[in-house]
Amino acid sequence: MNIQELLKEGQQLLQSSSSSALLDAQLLLMYVLQVDKLYLMIHLNEEVPLEKIGIYHELLAERKQSVPIAYLIHKKPFYGRDFFVSSGVLIPRPDTEILIEKTLDVIPDNKQVSGIEIGCGSGAISITLLLENRLLNMVATDIEAIPIEITSKNANLNNVQNRLRLINTDLFNGIPSEQFDFIISNPPYIPYNDSTKLMKDVVDYEPKGALFAEENGTFFYRKILEDGKKFLKEDGFVAFEIGCSQATQVRELCLKEGFHNIMIHQDLYGLDRVVIAFR
């Protein structure tokens, strides 16, 4: 079979299970052949080796079962760069790019600064900040071992490993008694009773520990604010991604813990997405 035939076959197979059937088929075949989209379009009549067709068919079958495409091709674009991902870490999303932008707006770019990320996942947040600010050093933590491994891989791929320290721990447990210019986190924030509202590929395959939180989704905001204050410099700040209905709750938690100059930023759809608050 040639490339054109395989793409048509893939699109037809995924039509009933994916809203982006053709794109999914293209991405999977690009991954199998290790080529870009332009190559596919120019070489539609090129015959594909049988062993690669077999791999393609296996990936199509997994995608039909709603396995996220990023887990199948081990790649997800974020802030203009590709990050390695696999099952066991939350897939980076465009909404989180707002967190990056607003954090960069308040980080000094003319002096050495330090930050700590709670719950690093793929490392996309810490690594992007390090790439955008060459005077920054980061500590990144995660309670699970897989995110630490994948963040380390992405740090090496992006040559920022010398400015990133990884710690496998729960929240601030075991963190040396040092102070940072900021704490950043995209913590689990979906209330457990909202699980039925999520797409199948999210709820069935992405790590539940990175999605759901108690206290109507605000548990980790409260813990990070309570436990993190002593790790912040006097003029330090926290930066959170939030659920679109959580701004008021997170703002109240910030005020309760003595934070001020609280800023709430919206995403491209006009929904509350980021909270920044100063100590």
Side-chain angles (χ1 to χ4, degrees), residues 132 201 206-207:
E132 295 294 321
D201 56 352
E206 296 198 53

Side-chain angles (χ1 to χ4, degrees), residues 131-197:
L131 290 167
E132 295 294 321
N133 188 323
R134 301 291 174 172
L135 297 178
L136 172 64
N137 286 277
M138 291 291 299
V139 171
T141 76
D142 206 286
I143 191 172
E144 302 291 344
I146 291 175
I148 295 295
E149 294 171 5
I150 292 178
T151 295
S152 177
K153 180 181 180 72
N154 279 317
N156 281 279
L157 289 171
N158 286 280
N159 297 311
V160 297
Q161 66 273 17
N162 294 333
R163 293 188 287 129
L164 177 63
R165 179 156 40 108
L166 298 173
I167 303 176
N168 187 189
T169 190
D170 184 14
L171 296 170
F172 296 93
N173 293 338
I175 304 297
S177 55
E178 58 185 288
Q179 291 189 310
F180 300 90
D181 292 285
F182 66 94
I183 298 168
I184 190 168
S185 185
N186 175 20
Y189 59 68
I190 301 173
Y192 280 97
N193 57 8
D194 282 357
S195 62
T196 56
K197 300 177 184 178

Side-chain angles (χ1 to χ4, degrees), residues 78-79 90-103 117 124-125 184-186 189 241 267 273-274:
F78 181 79
Y79 216 81
L90 193 70
I91 298 169
R93 289 169 165 78
D95 287 342
T96 307
E97 295 183 357
I98 307 297
L99 178 63
I100 298 290
E101 291 175 5
K102 300 307 178 183
T103 301
E117 180 185 4
I125 291 174
I184 190 168
S185 185
N186 175 20
Y189 59 68
E241 179 174 329
D267 60 21
R273 189 59 59 193
V274 169

Side-chain angles (χ1 to χ4, degrees), residues 93 194-208 211-212:
R93 289 169 165 78
D194 282 357
S195 62
T196 56
K197 300 177 184 178
L198 298 178
M199 295 176 63
K200 180 177 173 61
D201 56 352
V202 175
V203 73
D204 284 359
Y205 293 100
E206 296 198 53
K208 290 178 174 56
L211 293 169
F212 301 105

Side-chain angles (χ1 to χ4, degrees), residues 77-131:
F78 181 79
Y79 216 81
R81 304 176 179 94
D82 286 336
F83 283 83
F84 177 88
V85 294
S86 71
S87 58
V89 298
L90 193 70
I91 298 169
R93 289 169 165 78
D95 287 342
T96 307
E97 295 183 357
I98 307 297
L99 178 63
I100 298 290
E101 291 175 5
K102 300 307 178 183
T103 301
L104 288 171
D105 285 345
V106 292
I107 296 176
D109 57 7
N110 59 354
K111 67 175 184 178
Q112 294 285 338
V113 288
S114 63
I116 180 169
E117 180 185 4
I118 303 300
C120 59
S122 66
I125 291 174
S126 285
I127 292 167
T128 299
L129 290 174
L130 290 168
L131 290 167

Side-chain angles (χ1 to χ4, degrees), residues 4-22:
Q4 186 172 30
E5 291 167 337
L6 288 171
L7 289 175
K8 183 177 180 180
E9 179 188 48
Q11 182 181 13
Q12 291 174 342
L13 181 67
L14 300 177
Q15 200 73 56
S16 62
S17 58
S18 172
S19 60
S20 54
L22 176 57

